[in-house]
Amino acid sequence: VQQTIDELGYRPSPIARALVRGRSRTLALLVSDIANPFYPQLAKAIEREAWLKDYVVVTCGTDDNVRQSRRRVRRLVEQGVDGLIHASVGDDEETVLGLVDPARVVFTNRRPRRSDCHYVVSDNAAGARALTEHLIGSGHRRIGFVGGPEYASNARERLSGFRASVDAAPGVSALVAEGEFSPETGAKAVRDWLRGEDPPTAVVGVNDSVAVGVLEAVLDAGLAVPGDIAVAGFDDVLQTASSILGLTSVSQHVDEMGKRAVRAMLRLLTDPDRPEPIQEIIEPTLVVRRTTAAAPR
Amino acid sequence: VQQTIDELGYRPSPIARALVRGRSRTLALLVSDIANPFYPQLAKAIEREAWLKDYVVVTCGTDDNVRQSRRRVRRLVEQGVDGLIHASVGDDEETVLGLVDPARVVFTNRRPRRSDCHYVVSDNAAGARALTEHLIGSGHRRIGFVGGPEYASNARERLSGFRASVDAAPGVSALVAEGEFSPETGAKAVRDWLRGEDPPTAVVGVNDSVAVGVLEAVLDAGLAVPGDIAVAGFDDVLQTASSILGLTSVSQHVDEMGKRAVRAMLRLLTDPDRPEPIQEIIEPTLVVRRTTAAAPR
DNA sequence: GTGAAAGCGCTAACAT
DNA sequence: ATGTTAGCGCTTTCAC
């Protein structure tokens, strides 16, 4: 029997199967912007793990725009995706949860406000504390933090970790700026601070993109890194560029995060009415490189 | 009537529709490695254009591995994707064309061997010539080229463009190395050349990743860029990092490429039995930055 | 245990 | 023009 099946090259049709079973073996991944170096790495990890379990994944960029997010999600749900991994960072939590059964959503990279949701995130505050303490330990007493947009939970957590460490260290003061997750934000903040009274001797970017902007502005000002100003980022996703730039950063272990997000999703799909939410927190790791190598003067 | 439709919140099911019509409004995108900075930018452009036309896109990494490519494509075809945009660069042309109707495949980034296929690619040879002539014009007489794997058509074209320009310029000689599309390949080639008799005064990487490795090895050797050795890449996809690195590169206009690949695909799907293949070539643009700023000594 | 029948939600071809 | 019916390829249930 099996012989004849092979000979005729028969292959069951996933579409027909999906229609009757209500399961398509398709997962959706929502990201803010695929071109932002953090997300491709996450997407890769997710795709790899999903394919291992024979799931196909559709990746969509939301541009952190609620309208766009809604359109995408609505379409994906109709399309019959089995679950949604929500890794973008826009202010669309309510919108999305209104469109798709929360039991089929795993948040990652961002932590949901609602407490009964599933998520796999890293401990951003702890990462920021480790980084800040490293700077304080290197002798810095005036440290700048260039944050992200207010709506991004990961940016808020990093800022609060930074604040906690600064407040706990006597004699250390902080400068804080906010903006988009872009190099321009980092560069602008640094230029402002350098024009001011008491510029920082170390600057933390809320992610690596911001940190690159910081780096650029510091070097443009004719200052040495880390001699005059130390610089650090967050995410550690610059890959090849980070070795040459020597940028100190905090690794979120994206691969692990992606893998665990998929596994969480599959557990949810296997038994949909589990009593309590899956909520995992991954400890980030500080990666010290040249841009924070030495103490100031 | 329409009122009642809205009131009941009725939405047609794409799955059922797909089953009966044989069209799913889903496109597949094959890339070599999503984490390689070139592909996310392409994927973003493709996704944007596809969504505008209400198509969903599934992106898959092949790791340039024929087996994996076959598995992915087979699954995607069963899944009922309407078309395949093939942007990965592995040696899987025959395999893929055996699995899916060539009239539903658009090659991009890579140029197919078969002449009757649809493609949207950039003129890699012309880009390499422009870059090489720029270096020769800057006074370089000994130029290294760190190439990619033999199976990659884009790498072969870039190399042949390089060769053509070198051969056309009297007194200019070339050094050529081959390897993977990775910084390590670039770094290794440079270290080898620097140990040799007559090292180059300029080195071209087959893409930006390789060029970053080149840059790293040159700086590690204590040499100045571009003072001692000029460095250039290809693709111009380092974004934020390229401004700070100041890496000269050749832009392939990825956004345009992606957009046109999708449009080609949709034209194919609209009228499947068009007489002749869609074959578009985009002219790349040389972007000169600091790493090739001045002539040697 | 094996085999026939109903139906998933839609579209296209048909008959009225 | 409108209404009806068959059937896409599968799974699941029900009868045998």
Side-chain angles (χ1 to χ4, degrees):
Chain A
V1 179
Q2 185 59 41
Q3 261 187 39
T4 330
I5 286 177
D6 296 346
E7 279 163 20
L8 274 104
Y10 170 82
R11 326 229 85 216
S13 150
I15 311 118
R17 181 176 281 170
L19 179 61
V20 67
R21 300 225 307 197
R23 287 299 174 87
S24 59
R25 297 197 83 82
T26 297
L27 260 29
L29 169 63
L30 239 51
V31 301
S32 295
D33 175 10
I34 333 172
N36 169 337
F38 172 79
Y39 290 107
Q41 270 167 258
L42 181 67
K44 183 180 182 177
I46 286 179
E47 203 217 279
R48 184 175 333 113
E49 189 67 18
W51 273 93
L52 280 179
K53 304 290 163 41
D54 200 33
Y55 273 79
V56 162
V57 9
V58 179
T59 305
C60 292
T62 66
D63 291 339
D64 285 345
N65 169 337
V66 180
R67 276 177 53 105
Q68 184 165 340
S69 181
R70 176 170 37 228
R71 269 203 300 271
R72 299 286 190 265
V73 171
R74 193 179 285 161
R75 173 77 150 79
L76 290 168
V77 168
E78 283 168 14
Q79 187 93 346
V81 299
D82 294 341
L84 178 67
I85 298 181
H86 196 341
S88 80
V89 92
D91 199 10
D92 58 356
E93 180 178 328
E94 290 309 322
T95 309
V96 169
L97 290 178
L99 253 31
V100 32
D101 176 3
R104 289 161 171 247
V105 179
V106 172
F107 289 87
T108 189
N109 179 44
R110 58 133 73 183
R111 191 195 302 253
R113 293 173 195 270
R114 268 181 54 172
S115 60
D116 56 342
C117 290
H118 311 284
Y119 60 78
V120 177
V121 297
S122 76
D123 191 341
N124 285 292
R129 286 199 303 272
L131 176 54
T132 311
E133 278 154 24
H134 156 67
L135 293 171
I136 294 173
S138 302
H140 294 278
R141 290 296 169 262
R142 186 145 178 87
I143 310 178
F145 183 94
V146 188
E150 222 285 310
Y151 58 71
S153 73
N154 53 0
R156 286 197 309 268
E157 288 172 25
R158 290 171 198 182
L159 175 55
S160 76
F162 168 76
R163 279 236 164 84
S165 289
V166 167
D167 291 349
V172 175
S173 65
L175 284 156
V176 173
E178 283 198 356
E180 296 301 304
F181 291 113
S182 69
E184 289 70 35
T185 299
K188 179 176 181 311
V190 167
R191 284 193 300 263
D192 289 349
W193 289 337
L194 288 179
R195 271 198 302 272
E197 293 276 298
D198 189 8
T201 65
V203 177
V204 176
V206 70
N207 73 5
D208 288 347
S209 296
V210 172
V212 167
V214 168
L215 213 47
E216 202 173 3
V218 170
L219 296 173
D220 271 2
L223 298 172
V225 173
D228 297 311
I229 297 188
V231 177
F234 213 108
D235 286 348
D236 198 37
V237 289
L238 258 31
Q239 303 185 93
T240 80
S242 57
S243 69
I244 195 166
L245 256 31
L247 182 68
T248 290
S249 196
V250 176
S251 167
Q252 286 208 62
H253 307 295
V254 223
D255 290 1
E256 181 68 15
M257 212 164 87
K259 191 200 278 185
R260 285 167 65 170
V262 172
R263 294 195 174 162
M265 188 81 253
L266 298 187
R267 261 180 288 154
L268 292 179
L269 295 178
T270 309
D271 90 282
D273 24 53
R274 48 181 307 117
E276 53 208 55
I278 300 178
Q279 308 191 145
E280 300 183 5
I281 295 174
I282 298 177
E283 285 310 311
T285 305
L286 176 62
V287 183
V288 177
R289 297 204 186 83
R290 288 196 310 279
T291 56
T292 64
R297 92 195 47 126
Chain B
V1 181
Q2 185 60 39
Q3 262 188 37
T4 330
I5 286 178
D6 295 345
E7 279 164 21
L8 275 105
Y10 170 84
R11 330 226 83 216
S13 150
I15 314 118
R17 180 177 281 169
L19 179 60
V20 68
R21 300 226 306 198
R23 286 299 174 88
S24 59
R25 297 197 84 83
T26 297
L27 260 30
L29 169 63
L30 241 50
V31 301
S32 296
D33 175 10
I34 332 173
N36 169 337
F38 172 78
Y39 289 107
Q41 269 167 255
L42 181 67
K44 184 180 182 178
I46 286 179
E47 203 218 279
R48 184 173 336 111
E49 189 67 18
W51 273 94
L52 280 180
K53 305 289 164 43
D54 200 34
Y55 273 79
V56 164
V57 10
V58 179
T59 305
C60 292
T62 66
D63 292 339
D64 285 346
N65 169 336
V66 181
R67 276 178 54 104
Q68 184 165 339
S69 181
R70 175 167 39 225
R71 268 203 301 270
R72 299 286 190 264
V73 171
R74 194 178 286 161
R75 173 77 149 80
L76 291 168
V77 168
E78 284 167 15
Q79 187 92 345
V81 298
D82 294 342
L84 178 67
I85 298 181
H86 195 342
S88 80
V89 91
D91 199 9
D92 57 357
E93 180 177 328
E94 289 309 322
T95 310
V96 168
L97 290 178
L99 252 31
V100 33
D101 176 4
R104 290 161 170 244
V105 180
V106 172
F107 289 88
T108 190
N109 179 43
R110 58 134 73 183
R111 190 195 302 253
R113 293 173 194 270
R114 267 179 54 173
S115 60
D116 56 343
C117 290
H118 312 284
Y119 60 77
V120 177
V121 297
S122 76
D123 191 341
N124 285 292
R129 286 198 304 272
L131 176 54
T132 311
E133 277 154 24
H134 156 67
L135 293 171
I136 294 172
S138 302
H140 294 278
R141 290 296 169 262
R142 184 142 179 89
I143 309 177
F145 184 94
V146 187
E150 222 285 310
Y151 57 73
S153 74
N154 53 359
R156 286 197 309 269
E157 288 172 27
R158 290 171 197 181
L159 175 56
S160 77
F162 169 77
R163 278 236 163 83
S165 288
V166 167
D167 292 350
V172 176
S173 65
L175 283 155
V176 173
E178 284 198 356
E180 295 302 305
F181 290 114
S182 70
E184 290 69 36
T185 299
K188 180 176 181 310
V190 167
R191 284 193 299 263
D192 290 350
W193 289 336
L194 288 179
R195 269 197 303 272
E197 293 276 300
D198 189 7
T201 65
V203 176
V204 175
V206 70
N207 72 6
D208 287 347
S209 297
V210 171
V212 167
V214 167
L215 213 47
E216 202 172 4
V218 170
L219 296 173
D220 272 2
L223 299 172
V225 174
D228 297 312
I229 297 188
V231 176
F234 212 108
D235 286 348
D236 198 36
V237 289
L238 258 29
Q239 303 185 96
T240 82
S242 55
S243 69
I244 195 166
L245 256 32
L247 182 67
T248 290
S249 196
V250 177
S251 167
Q252 286 207 64
H253 307 293
V254 221
D255 290 0
E256 181 69 16
M257 212 163 87
K259 190 200 280 187
R260 285 166 68 168
V262 171
R263 294 196 173 162
M265 186 82 253
L266 298 188
R267 259 180 289 155
L268 293 179
L269 295 179
T270 309
D271 91 282
D273 25 52
R274 47 182 307 115
E276 53 208 54
I278 300 177
Q279 307 192 144
E280 300 182 6
I281 294 175
I282 299 177
E283 284 312 310
T285 306
L286 176 63
V287 183
V288 177
R289 296 203 187 83
R290 288 197 309 279
T291 56
T292 63
R297 94 197 46 131

